[in-house]
């Protein structure tokens, strides 16, 4: 599984000719990406070559080939990432969550988490090593096919695991897969995001390799349809958003993200669009495509209208009347203006905006969540104007949203009485720690991808510089604590794989922005633009 190793014996010319020989398959180049800003920043020209990428592994050999000196952290990161590989019958199938020998409690950090593997997978794809990603996609879809039960309750067929591990029996020489669908996870939380990440990753694999044969297999087609059946099924819903319990995604503890969390809605939207591009046009596939088109249409309208918050919108909500009945209601969810938290009035800049954390009857969770907003940009759930506004907000509120260690998972933290009620007195999620306003290095790759998509690579560069000042020295922590993310997290694991992979992906994206195509979707012109609520109440 070693990458093509560049050595000083391979001349730069050889690398270039290899590069030219290799057809670059299907990678879309971002139109909005501003190449000039890269040269202005002194970042060298993007090159799409596996040889170029392999410089990451052998930094010493690169000096003779390019004036650009790879950061010494890159080689360390690749070594650490490779140490986290997990094998099934000799084949790599994933990476463990953390390779932290110092930690007393392993809990489930020795498992391959679906969400955690995504940045690892992207790093391997960008490095020209797609096999591990293919193995992972096939292994997890096999796991989906098992019967899943929690106590006496049978889970939906399409449910994907949160994580799995491989048990090696050295005597019998057998490998066994043990999966967790939430039945062992702390709090028995349901990993709603796993299926969406799986679909998004299948598209990334297909885009990056140009190999459609994996997505076309009956296993992958069926796996996709099962995931889609779960999230497109009809129920009692009055909204197109997906109703979830607390702890259903990266924030996998009680944190008041139940209802319609932005993270899930953004992943749902992106997964639906990704599936559209991979479903076969056979009878079953077409039936799902029709349902997807309808859902996307309703979902984008709902999200762009009701989850979007900027200065104007905040002012409108502040002046809302309540108890309105019928279709003419302006305050459709009957949000009481007194429930708007004080902090948001100071936080909201004149320039900028974001998708808020949650919207449901009489409830708007005004917290900022980084993952949901970045994925909204990548999947084009956000319109180009909204995407630009999200980036404006990040710039305007840098201290709060990035601080000293990129990137804050959410802002602000909840504390005191609210913390007691909302988290159930969770000692791991005290204010400005872990999921409650902690800073997660893994989110760097998402921020970088969003920056590149919106043509703001300078922002990513600034965030990466912050990371490079500390991450390796601190031993690749899982998260940082404190209002500005200055302290290594109270219970943070070291050598957390997605912190390592997130850094690698961010670096590779900035170095070669054409990689963006595998995790970004262009705006869908079929989806009608939203008519601003302030002006039209009838649609
Ligand atoms: C924690 C995180 C979760 C992650 C897991 C493994 O539970 O909250 O998002 O997947 O650790 O790293």
């Amino acid at each position: 599984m070693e990458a093509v190793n560049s050595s000083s014996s391979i001349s730069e010319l050889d690398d270039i000719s290899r590069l030219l020989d290799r057809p670059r398959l299907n990678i879309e180049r971002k139109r909005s990406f501003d190449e000039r800003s890269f040269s202005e920043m002194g970042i060298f020209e993007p090159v799409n070559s596996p040889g170029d990428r392999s410089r990451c592994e052998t930094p010493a050999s690169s000096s003779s080939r390019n004036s650009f000196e790879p950061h010494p952290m890159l080689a360390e990161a690749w070594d650490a990432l490779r140490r986290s590989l997990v094998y099934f019958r000799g084949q790599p199938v994933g990476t463990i969550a953390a390779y932290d020998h110092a930690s007393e409690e392993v809990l489930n950090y020795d498992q391959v988490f679906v969400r955690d593997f995504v940045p690892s997978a992207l790093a391997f794809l960008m490095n020209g090593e797609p096999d591990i990603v293919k193995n992972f996609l096939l292994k997890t879809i096999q796991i989906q096919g098992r019967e899943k039960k929690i106590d006496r309750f049978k889970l939906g067929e399409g449910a994907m695991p949160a994580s799995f591990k491989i048990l090696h029996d050295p005597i019998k020489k057998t490998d066994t897969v043990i999966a967790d669908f939430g039945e062992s996870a702390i709090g028995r939380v349901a990993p709603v995001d796993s299926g969406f990440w799986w679909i998004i990753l299948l598209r990334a694999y297909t885009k990056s390799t140009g190999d459609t044969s994996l997505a076309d297999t009956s296993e992958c087609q069926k796996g996709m349809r099962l995931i889609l059946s779960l999230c497109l099924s009809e129920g009692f819903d009055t909204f197109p958003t997906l109703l979830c319990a607390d702890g259903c995604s990266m924030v996998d503890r009680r944190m008041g993200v139940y209802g319609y969390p932005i993270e899930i809605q953004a992943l749902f939207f992106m997964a639906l669009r990704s599936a559209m591009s991979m479903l076969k046009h056979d009878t079953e596939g077409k039936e799902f495509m029709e349902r997807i088109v309808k859902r996307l249409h309703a979902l984008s309208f709902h999200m762009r209208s009701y989850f979007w918050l900027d200065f104007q919108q905040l002012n409108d909500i502040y002046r809302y009347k309540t108890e309105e009945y019928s279709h003419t209601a302006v305050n459709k969810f009957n949000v009481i203006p007194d429930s708007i938290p004080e902090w948001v009035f100071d936080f909201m800049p004149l320039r900028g905006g974001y998708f808020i954390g949650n919207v449901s009857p009489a409830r708007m969770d005004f917290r900022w969540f980084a993952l949901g907003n970045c994925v909204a940009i990548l999947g084009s759930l956000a319109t180009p104007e909204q995407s630009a506004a999200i980036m404006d907000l990040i710039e305007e509120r840098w201290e709060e949203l990035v601080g000293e260690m990129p990137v804050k998972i959410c802002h602000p933290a909840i504390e005191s009485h609210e913390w007691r009620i909302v988290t159930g007195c969770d000692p791991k999620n005290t204010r400005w720690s872990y999921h409650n306003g902690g800073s997660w290095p893994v989110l760097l790759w998402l921020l970088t991808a969003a920056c590149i998509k919106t043509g703001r690579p300078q922002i990513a560069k600034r965030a990466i510089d912050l990371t490079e000042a500390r991450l390796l020295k601190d031993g690749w922590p899982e998260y940082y604590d404190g209002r500005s993310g200055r302290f290594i997290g109270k219970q943070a694991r070291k050598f957390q794989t997605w912190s390592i992979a997130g850094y690698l992906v961010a670096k590779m994206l900035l170095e070669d922005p054409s990689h963006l195509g595998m995790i970004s979707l262009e705006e869908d012109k079929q989806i009608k633009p939203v008519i601003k609520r302030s002006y039209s109440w009838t649609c």
Side-chain angles (χ1 to χ4, degrees), residues 237-449:
D237 309 292
T238 39
F239 314 129
T241 34
L242 204 63
L243 183 60
C244 305
D246 231 332
C248 54
S249 59
M250 175 183 180
V251 180
D252 55 358
R253 291 170 84 89
R254 187 174 156 198
M255 263 299 291
V257 290
Y258 62 90
Y260 304 90
I262 178 63
E263 174 171 343
I264 290 295
Q265 313 314 320
L267 286 170
F268 179 31
F269 184 86
M270 185 155 178
L272 288 182
R273 291 197 60 204
S274 302
M276 272 298 276
S277 67
M278 294 183 295
L279 281 170
K280 278 193 178 165
H281 290 237
D282 50 18
T283 322
E284 283 168 306
K286 275 190 186 151
E287 196 192 301
F288 274 98
M289 285 162 116
E290 278 168 28
R291 288 164 71 185
I292 291 176
V293 169
K294 285 189 192 139
R295 191 64 172 256
L296 282 173
H297 187 66
L299 186 59
S300 59
F301 175 81
H302 185 94
M303 296 299 298
R304 291 171 183 180
S305 314
Y306 307 129
F307 275 65
W308 184 252
L309 192 77
D310 53 19
F311 188 84
Q312 179 62 50
Q313 187 66 14
L314 179 60
N315 209 155
D316 290 351
I317 300 169
Y318 173 68
R319 289 164 53 80
Y320 268 168
K321 290 185 186 53
T322 57
E323 310 302 324
E324 295 169 300
Y325 180 75
S326 113
H327 293 283
T328 53
V330 173
N331 180 3
K332 295 191 183 171
F333 302 99
N334 199 34
V335 173
I336 319 289
D338 270 354
S339 72
I340 306 174
E342 278 297 317
W343 65 264
V344 78
F345 294 108
D346 297 328
F347 177 73
M348 183 58 77
L350 283 174
R351 197 171 138 260
Y354 64 105
F355 289 107
I356 62 171
N358 225 304
V359 177
S360 60
R363 175 178 176 228
M364 286 180 113
D365 178 349
F366 290 93
R367 278 177 295 172
W368 149 271
F369 287 87
L371 196 154
N373 276 278
C374 289
V375 172
I377 293 178
L378 294 178
S380 288
L381 169 60
T383 62
E385 295 73 29
Q386 287 174 333
S387 299
I390 294 171
M391 299 315 296
D392 288 342
L393 180 93
I394 294 174
E395 272 188 312
E396 296 275 333
R397 292 289 174 256
W398 186 262
E399 296 305 317
E400 289 90 339
L401 306 183
V402 180
E404 292 183 36
M405 178 52 73
V407 177
K408 274 256 168 278
I409 190 168
C410 68
H411 175 86
I414 42 180
E415 41 192 312
S416 312
H417 183 61
E418 198 186 5
W419 165 79
R420 261 177 240 119
I421 302 298
V422 172
T423 72
C425 301
D426 188 346
K428 201 165 176 185
N429 273 335
T430 48
R431 65 176 178 175
W432 307 113
S433 181
Y434 200 43
H435 300 140
N436 187 7
S439 302
W440 290 66
V442 59
L443 298 171
L444 181 69
W445 82 262
L446 281 154
L447 176 68
T448 303

Side-chain angles (χ1 to χ4, degrees), residues 81 116 119-121 123 445 496-506:
L81 181 62
D116 292 42
S120 298
W445 82 262
Q496 181 78 20
T497 306
W498 67 359
S499 299
I500 298 163
Y503 166 70
L504 284 172
V505 173

